[in-house]
Amino acid sequence: MRIVRTKAELHEELEPERRAGRTIGLVPTMGHLHEGHLSLVRAARERCEIVVLSVFVNPTQFGPGEDLESYPRDLERDARLAEPEGVDLLYAPAVGEVYPDGFQSAVVVEDLSEVLCGDPRNRGPEHFRGVATVVAKLFNSVGPDVAFFGQKDAQQAIVIRRMVRDLDFPIEVEVLPTVREADGLALSSRNAYLEPDERTRAPALSRALDAARARAEAGDANLGEVLRAARAVLAESGVEPEYLEARDASDLSPIESFNGRPVLVAVAATLGSARLIDNVVIEPQSGRNEPAEGG
Ligand code: AMP
């Protein structure tokens, strides 16, 4: 595994591979690697001949007062975890390599960036502007055939898919399932911030989503009841959600009832200094959930 810091080095390493017709997979991360990230690396290793892992804590996706300064960074540890998984190139650019002086361009995926985490009352749309911009830049710098993302950040994956479609990136986006702790808590670099009592309460997010899915799969519940079941689980653990919402799982459009399409139930909550997110996709229950108005 080689560690490279600049676009020039990346180019030097990848150009011969591209010319030889080898497929390139990219796994973009902010580092502090865990099994969630490594599951993406393994998927890339299986599918692609060359695996590039990027580690970059992207300042433009952090809002004022968020955890940019305290975000855990340890490139040596990341390299130790990445190498045995068969990563070929670890790309870890400095901020100035990604955002040179005078940088003033951005990629904005309009509506998809303004709901859920992108709602101005939550992280806000600037978060996804930062994400889309840095991912577009990584796509241009690496030129992957396939890029791998986690379902844990469902809205991010939807924003990236739309950007790829809208801007004609010749890249396939693959989204892999959320990797969880034994008690259901979705793995996240931010779990490191949880104090012991918060760590005990944190699995309430996934338990709430499980309750929502169970209520939906029972077949007789409407969407309001499904969300109430989830809220009750959060309340039992004293977790106040920033949001808990059901939306169309493919385009995040608002929904009032089950309508025969997959439904994304997404939750965000802050416990101490850790802002946690999680989600579940509820597949249509072969006609057993409430039908849409008029069929
Ligand atoms: P991050 O380093 O948090 O920006 O995440 C980098 C990539 O890893 C994103 O595509 C995330 O969706 C994915 N990821 C983070 N946590 C998990 C998890 N628990 N399971 C699966 N993928 C994850």
Side-chain angles (χ1 to χ4, degrees):
M1 183 179 80
R2 265 206 72 191
I3 301 180
V4 294
R5 300 287 197 165
T6 65
K7 287 173 276 186
E9 288 171 288
L10 250 190
H11 187 79
E12 201 178 295
E13 291 287 329
L14 291 176
E15 237 358 80
E17 307 295 352
R18 219 186 316 278
R19 268 202 306 275
R22 298 202 177 93
T23 52
I24 299 173
L26 170 65
V27 179
T29 79
M30 298 206 301
H32 194 68
L33 299 181
H34 52 62
E35 279 293 315
H37 300 118
L38 297 180
S39 72
L40 305 184
V41 169
R42 286 172 202 138
R45 185 66 283 165
E46 257 178 42
R47 251 201 92 177
C48 302
E49 288 159 289
I50 302 294
V51 175
V52 182
L53 171 73
S54 63
V55 171
F56 179 63
V57 181
N58 173 35
T60 65
Q61 71 189 68
F62 288 77
E66 290 188 0
D67 55 343
L68 174 62
E69 306 306 326
S70 55
Y71 199 87
R73 294 163 171 89
D74 187 344
L75 191 63
E76 268 180 38
R77 175 182 175 278
D78 289 340
R80 266 201 315 277
L81 292 170
E83 182 149 33
E85 300 294 344
V87 169
D88 296 296
L89 268 185
L90 197 171
Y91 177 48
V95 173
E97 178 72 9
V98 180
Y99 299 110
D101 280 350
F103 186 90
Q104 50 182 302
S105 306
V107 176
V108 179
V109 183
E110 303 275 4
D111 294 358
L112 293 176
S113 297
E114 293 174 8
V115 300
L116 301 176
C117 287
D119 186 309
R121 291 165 296 183
N122 304 327
R123 289 192 86 172
E126 302 77 18
H127 167 66
F128 289 109
R129 173 188 166 112
V131 168
T133 302
V134 81
V135 171
K137 286 175 62 72
L138 288 167
F139 284 179
N140 285 333
S141 306
V142 174
D145 299 284
V146 193
F148 298 82
F149 294 87
Q151 174 64 21
K152 204 291 227 115
D153 300 272
Q155 184 174 12
Q156 170 173 286
I158 290 171
V159 165
I160 298 301
R161 273 195 200 285
R162 186 65 64 94
M163 175 186 84
V164 162
R165 191 203 74 175
D166 288 355
L167 300 184
D168 305 320
F169 281 97
I171 295 172
E172 188 186 327
V173 171
E174 200 176 305
V175 179
L176 280 296
T178 303
V179 178
R180 299 174 178 283
E181 301 281 4
D183 61 10
L185 176 64
L187 297 191
S188 163
S189 306
R190 292 193 167 93
N191 293 350
Y193 304 152
L194 293 168
E195 299 292 341
D197 67 306
E198 294 156 1
R199 176 64 188 80
T200 310
R201 287 158 57 227
L205 272 72
S206 69
R207 280 206 309 275
L209 297 169
D210 285 347
R213 178 165 38 199
R215 195 75 188 81
E217 286 176 357
D220 58 348
N222 63 38
L223 199 48
E225 287 170 289
V226 163
L227 292 176
R228 265 195 297 285
R231 274 202 195 90
V233 174
L234 293 174
E236 272 166 30
S237 293
V239 174
E240 177 65 39
E242 182 182 279
Y243 64 76
L244 170 73
E245 280 187 52
R247 288 183 172 263
D248 185 286
S250 63
D251 64 8
L252 301 182
S253 55
I255 49 169
E256 300 300 327
S257 58
F258 289 110
N259 58 7
R261 290 160 57 87
V263 170
L264 176 78
V265 180
V267 63
T270 298
L271 276 76
S273 46
R275 183 178 180 281
L276 305 178
I277 58 173
D278 202 350
N279 67 85
V280 68
V281 174
I282 299 176
E283 299 295 334
Q285 297 295 301
S286 50
R288 288 197 303 155
N289 285 322
E290 56 184 330
E293 285 299 288

